Amino acid sequence: MYCKNCGVELENDMLVCPLCGQPVDGSPAAAAAAADHELRVPKPGMTKKRRKFTWDIVSLILGSGMAAAGIVNYIISRSITWSEYTTAVGLVIFCYASVFAFFSIGIMAEMGLGFFLASLGLIVLDWFTGGVTWATRMAIPLLVSVNVVVMAFMRVERSARHKGVNLIAYAFVAAALLCLCVEGILSYFMWGYWRLNWSVIVAACVAPVALVLLFVHFRLRRGRNLERVFHI
């Protein structure tokens, strides 16, 4: 049998779904098992202390990586060239990690604040290394596309009543859209016009997989037997 809430397959003697914690039926025993499951399973989220500890680790790793890249770049080229981009990536990650570690204002607001701080940091970094060129023409548009795709995925994930393999399908679609955005922005920055090549191939490969996952998910949700559908 299958869970009526999330569609995961269950053993015949189960009273509560191990994935979503919902009772299998309306019996008192199932309701009691669901209540016990809710008490036993730790609630998601991180305490302030764990957030601070995670931020310390992330900051240490990012700082070490950016410093190492800058030193190697300077030793080889006697100037800062390609390490500027690794520093930009590290700066963006640091801004978002700092917001998530020290603010609890809702995920959407935290994403917006992280975007603002990261954009400001990219502009300052670009200006410091020789003028505002790649920050406004490449880095910030890439950051916008990542934020839009991630926030759209989160909105879809929250609105989904039944969570299962459909989330994997949505993630594949989000990744394909992000690839299209990345290649389009990079091509426009480098050549002055939009050109899509590899991202179209990625999207074409991902689309059938996402469709199959959605088909499987909605079949399971409706209680259909996939063995009969695929003649297994």
Side-chain angles (χ1 to χ4, degrees):
M1 61 179 176
Y2 298 93
C3 175
K4 297 179 180 179
N5 182 58
C6 65
V8 70
E9 187 174 2
L10 304 173
E11 299 291 339
N12 292 329
D13 58 346
M14 284 184 173
L15 297 176
V16 61
C17 175
L19 180 63
C20 65
Q22 295 297 315
V24 175
D25 52 38
S27 64
D36 182 68
H37 180 272
E38 185 177 359
L39 292 175
R40 291 176 180 272
V41 176
K43 295 185 180 298
M46 297 178 65
T47 63
K48 290 184 178 180
K49 186 176 181 180
R50 288 185 61 85
R51 286 188 177 189
K52 178 62 167 56
F53 176 75
T54 303
W55 180 82
D56 290 339
I57 298 299
V58 171
S59 301
L60 179 62
I61 294 174
L62 290 176
S64 302
M66 289 187 291
I71 292 172
V72 171
N73 187 193
Y74 186 79
I75 291 175
I76 295 175
S77 306
R78 295 300 177 184
S79 62
I80 301 299
T81 54
W82 55 265
S83 62
E84 182 178 359
Y85 299 106
T86 60
T87 302
V89 173
L91 179 63
V92 170
I93 297 175
F94 175 78
C95 289
Y96 279 94
S98 300
V99 171
F100 294 145
F102 297 105
F103 294 89
S104 298
I105 54 178
I107 187 63
M108 295 299 179
E110 291 172 3
M111 291 284 292
L113 180 58
F115 169 76
F116 172 76
L117 294 177
S119 300
L120 184 61
L122 290 171
I123 292 175
V124 171
L125 176 63
D126 194 10
W127 172 80
F128 182 76
T129 55
V132 180
T133 55
W134 58 264
T136 55
R137 294 177 54 205
M138 179 185 67
I140 293 179
L142 285 174
L143 197 58
V144 170
S145 63
V146 171
N147 275 266
V148 170
V149 171
V150 170
M151 293 175 74
F153 172 78
M154 293 172 60
R155 180 61 62 88
V156 171
E157 185 271 337
R158 289 186 176 185
S159 62
R161 294 182 57 187
H162 301 275
K163 296 178 174 63
V165 293
N166 59 326
L167 297 184
I168 302 177
Y170 299 149
F172 277 144
V173 173
L177 291 175
L178 191 57
C179 288
L180 292 170
C181 293
V182 168
E183 187 179 17
I185 293 170
L186 291 178
S187 63
Y188 189 80
F189 173 73
M190 291 186 292
W191 299 299
Y193 59 91
W194 300 91
R195 187 173 71 176
L196 301 178
N197 292 318
W198 59 266
S199 60
V200 176
I201 299 175
V202 172
C205 294
V206 165
V209 178
L211 290 175
V212 169
L213 290 174
L214 290 174
F215 173 78
V216 171
H217 169 75
F218 288 108
R219 283 284 182 173
L220 287 176
R221 196 187 74 175
R222 294 172 183 172
R224 304 291 180 83
N225 191 332
L226 291 178
E227 294 181 356
R228 294 177 60 185
V229 173
F230 293 106
H231 304 287
I232 298 176

